[in-house]
Every structure is written in structure tokens, then in C-alpha cells.
Amino acid sequence: DAVDYTVKHDDGLGLDTLGRAEIVIVGVSRSSKTPVSLYLSFRGWKVANVPIVPGLEVPPELLAIEQERIVGFTVDPPFLHLLRVEREKHLGARLGSYTDENEIVREVTYARRICFEHGWPVLNVTAKAIEEAATEVMGTIYARTGQRKGSITE
């Protein structure tokens, strides 16, 4: 059930049922939102992830849910640049501003500002293993909501 929910709520999908999420991860593209969401879903959490994109308003559905369930992800811009360049190579296509270093700094700064404005905690997931990032998310959710599934240190 959790995995099914998470798959249907990847990358901003399923906003009409976002309120059923136990965790919502927000952040820029390539900040590990999807792999961490899936990992958490295998641990029983219903997780949605929503991209934060400069120039696009935060979906109203995100603002309508329990804000304590939202966690922001950030990545250091130089590391994010390397990730995006590798993705560009893998796809064999030029992705334009997606890999531009100045644009990446602007995106990361914008996402951090949005999280700050809404009181969402921000976890720096730069070079972290999926399991490590997931453990931080679980600890954050436990601290903010009291909800726990299994051991945080499993």
C-alpha cells in the first residue's frame, strides 16, 4: 500500500490525495527525492515528493496539508552540477540551463528560501547514501509529529 501510494505521488503527481501522505519531500531536481521516497515506502511510509522549481508557484495542495509532514532536501550546488552533468551524459542530450552552474545556484537558493518561508526543515543530502538521508527524514518526522514506523536506526 505504501509503495503504491509513493509511486503514484512521485515528482508532484497525485496532488489531489497529497493529504494522505505521511511524509512529503520537497526539493530541486536531482536532490534524491525519488530514491529516498521509495526507500521509505519499503519501510511502510506513504511518501510523496514535490519538486520546487523557480518560476512555478508552490502547489496549493502542498500548503493545505499538515506542514509538519513536509521536509525539504537541498544539495550543495557544485555536487548538484556534477549529478546533472552525468545525467546529461547518460541521456546523450544537452539539457540547457539544467546544468548551468549559475542556474543551479539560483534554483537551490530559491528552494531553500521557499522552505524557510514555510517553516519546513531542510536536510542537506549532498553525497549521502539513501539510507542515511531516509534515517534523517524519519528522525525529523518523529521530532515534528511523533509518528514513528520501526526503529529509526534500523
Side-chain angles (χ1 to χ4, degrees):
D1 194 39
V3 174
D4 184 56
Y5 179 89
T6 300
V7 169
K8 289 178 180 174
H9 293 81
D10 183 42
D11 203 30
L13 296 176
L15 291 174
D16 57 323
T17 54
L18 191 63
R20 292 191 2 227
E22 296 169 306
I23 300 171
V24 178
I25 299 172
V26 298
V28 299
S29 174
R30 309 309 301 167
S31 60
S32 299
K33 296 182 308 294
T34 295
V36 172
S37 295
L38 288 171
Y39 179 84
L40 287 166
S41 76
F42 284 115
R43 308 245 348 237
W45 295 90
K46 289 181 180 175
V47 185
N49 74 72
V50 179
I52 295 179
V53 181
L56 295 181
E57 293 294 320
V58 173
E61 295 89 347
L62 188 61
L63 303 177
I65 67 169
E66 271 185 74
Q67 300 296 286
E68 294 78 19
R69 299 194 175 282
I70 302 173
V71 177
F73 276 12
T74 192
V75 180
D76 295 341
F79 186 78
L80 184 56
H81 177 256
L82 291 174
L83 290 175
R84 289 183 175 184
V85 166
E86 283 304 311
R87 179 170 171 81
E88 187 176 67
K89 286 180 191 173
H90 178 73
L91 293 174
R94 297 276 311 148
L95 300 177
S97 65
Y98 186 72
T99 58
D100 179 82
E101 292 175 79
N102 292 325
E103 182 62 26
I104 289 171
V105 169
R106 189 173 79 82
E107 281 183 59
V108 169
T109 301
Y110 175 76
R112 287 179 182 161
R113 184 172 50 90
I114 292 295
C115 289
F116 176 77
E117 287 174 0
H118 294 287
W120 304 329
V122 177
L123 305 178
N124 189 325
V125 296
T126 303
K128 287 189 178 165
I130 293 166
E131 299 85 357
E132 185 179 2
T135 297
E136 286 188 33
V137 169
M138 290 187 294
T140 301
I141 293 299
Y142 177 68
R144 289 173 59 91
T145 70
Q147 185 173 4
R148 180 184 296 216
K149 290 193 179 204
S151 169
I152 291 174
T153 59
E154 282 180 357

